């Protein structure tokens, strides 16, 4: 792959679902060459997530894009040297095994530095490499609960609930890609190897900017408030007359004034500060909910947009794929199936840049599709050596 700002950067992806592979995918979307290590005969568990198309996860077309697949059984003694030789030819190694597992496989940071003295490694794990929980297993939902996000999510009088997507994987995947570029920049400045230790929970904890500081200031936990915002009113989801849902956060004084003008509710102008509105939240939320309930979504959106009020529909996947703005920006793309099957819909790389474009790339690779060519090109193995490794189940 060439043309992107990360052209010439090679990433060795020694990770499985989902944050680590997302980080390497993001790098691949902007020019990096990504080589993904997978278990022979099985591959990344994400390959088997339903729904399946011809036995392969539909989501794999997106999760595996921009990558070449190489199979190596990390449990075999010979695997450590193979990974080391590939790391020697790479700029960045992304992994998400537990620290103890990396040590057992002999592919931890210090192991790979023997092959690549200026190695950059991004290590995503549930709890990080240090601290008493370092070797605990964990997935996104565990991290979300641990970081406090789940505690804050849900209705006040009901059990906490997860978000509709494993947010920790997405947020940490993005943060890990950011960390990879930070570490690469530092390596290039100093010539020294760099290790980025990224727990699943820490980017979430960093994201919730009011969570800890509020506790520190008041000594009280912020409890669940459903769709209400603890610092802003009105700010909720409101149901329209035609059964749709509208997100309407009046986050500034200007938005509040515009909203009450659209509502024709001059009497609400007396609540001229956020403090006043929070003190009268119940009354204000009820008035806004009643106003929205008297209107169908599309005509109401037209009025709100014309008045400069920030608001938007709660979109389903079908809504997203049909939305004219999303279509115009190319936020969702339709990619052809190189094997002649039906085209696939998937998200495009996020953002638009003046000097370069992100790329979706071709089809996600078949399991082990590039094993022989990568081992020849980067590890210096001959055909007979690769055949021998394959015969012994190492690759």
């Amino acid at each position: 792959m060439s043309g992107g700002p990360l052209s010439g950067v090679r990433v060795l992806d020694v990770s499985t679902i989902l944050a680590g592979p997302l980080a390497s995918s993001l790098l691949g979307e902007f020019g990096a060459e990504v080589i993904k290590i997978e278990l022979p005969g099985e591959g990344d568990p994400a390959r088997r997530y339903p729904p399946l198309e011809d036995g392969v996860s539909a989501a794999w077309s997106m999760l595996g894009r921009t990558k070449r697949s190489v199979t190596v059984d990390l449990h075999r003694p010979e695997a450590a040297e193979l990974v080391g030789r590939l790391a020697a030819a790479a700029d960045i190694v992304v992994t998400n095994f537990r620290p103890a597992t990396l040590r057992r496989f002999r592919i931890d940071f210090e192991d790979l530095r023997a092959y690549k003295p200026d190695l950059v490694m991004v290590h995503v794990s549930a709890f990080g490499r240090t601290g008493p929980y370092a070797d605990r297993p964990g997935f996104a939902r565990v991290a979300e609960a641990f970081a406090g996000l789940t505690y804050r999510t849900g209705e006040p009088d009901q059990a906490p609930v997860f978000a509709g997507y494993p947010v920790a994987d997405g947020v940490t995947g993005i943060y890990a890609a950011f960390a990879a570029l930070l570490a690469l920049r530092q390596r290039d400045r100093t010539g020294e190897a760099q290790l980025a230790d990224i727990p699943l929970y820490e980017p979430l904890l960093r994201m919730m900017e009011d969570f800890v500081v509020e506790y520190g200031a008041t000594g009280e936990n912020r409890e669940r408030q459903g769709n209400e915002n603890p610092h802003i009113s009105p700010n909720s989801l409101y149901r329209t007359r035609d059964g749709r849902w509208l997100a309407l956060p009046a986050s500034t004084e200007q938005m509040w004034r515009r909203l009450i003008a659209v509502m024709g509710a001059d009497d609400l102008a007396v609540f001229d500060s956020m403090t006043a509105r929070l003190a009268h939240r119940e009354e204000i939320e009820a008035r806004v909910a009643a106003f929205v309930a008297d209107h169908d979504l599309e005509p109401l959106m037209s009025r709100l947009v014309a008045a400069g009020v920030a608001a938007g529909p709660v979109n389903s996947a079908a809504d997203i794929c049909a939305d004219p703005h999303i279509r115009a920006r190319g936020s969702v793309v339709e990619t052809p199936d190189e094997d002649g099957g039906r085209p696939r819909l998937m998200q495009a790389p996020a953002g638009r840049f003046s000097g370069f474009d992100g790329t979706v790339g071709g089809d996600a690779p078949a399991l082990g599709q590039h094993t022989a060519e990568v081992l020849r090109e980067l590890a210096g193995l001959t055909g007979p050596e690769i055949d021998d490794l394959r015969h012994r189940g190492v690759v």
Side-chain angles (χ1 to χ4, degrees), residues 51-213:
L52 301 179
E53 294 181 336
D54 298 323
V56 178
S57 170
W60 179 248
S61 60
M62 180 164 177
L63 295 171
R65 71 190 190 187
T66 76
K67 302 180 182 182
R68 294 200 283 173
S69 174
V70 173
T71 52
V72 179
D73 187 346
L74 298 176
H75 301 85
R76 300 297 186 105
E78 305 94 329
E81 182 181 356
L82 280 180
V83 173
R85 292 170 74 168
L86 294 176
D91 296 283
I92 301 168
V93 174
V94 176
T95 188
N96 65 352
F97 290 102
R98 277 185 274 171
T101 303
L102 286 183
R103 293 191 295 270
R104 188 173 75 250
F105 288 160
R106 295 182 292 116
I107 56 171
D108 203 0
F109 181 60
E110 294 299 334
D111 298 310
L112 297 184
R113 281 185 68 185
Y115 296 88
K116 176 81 169 176
D118 60 349
L119 174 74
V120 170
M121 176 182 274
V122 178
H123 185 189
V124 176
S125 61
F127 295 97
R129 295 171 63 93
T130 61
Y133 304 160
D135 279 312
R136 284 188 182 182
F139 292 106
R141 297 309 197 185
V142 175
E144 290 158 23
F146 187 73
L149 178 64
T150 310
Y151 187 91
R152 287 277 294 271
T153 307
E155 295 297 328
D157 58 346
Q158 297 180 24
V161 297
F162 291 135
Y165 174 84
V167 178
D169 280 327
V171 172
T172 305
I174 295 168
Y175 197 93
F178 167 63
L181 298 183
L182 293 178
L184 190 64
R185 168 69 170 160
Q186 183 71 354
R187 191 278 307 274
D188 290 346
R189 289 178 65 245
T190 66
E192 298 174 354
Q194 302 293 323
L195 172 63
D197 172 14
I198 312 296
L200 275 172
Y201 78 89
E202 276 188 350
L204 285 178
L205 188 59
R206 172 62 183 86
M207 180 183 73
M208 298 188 293
E209 295 184 336
D210 65 335
F211 192 48
V212 173
V213 294

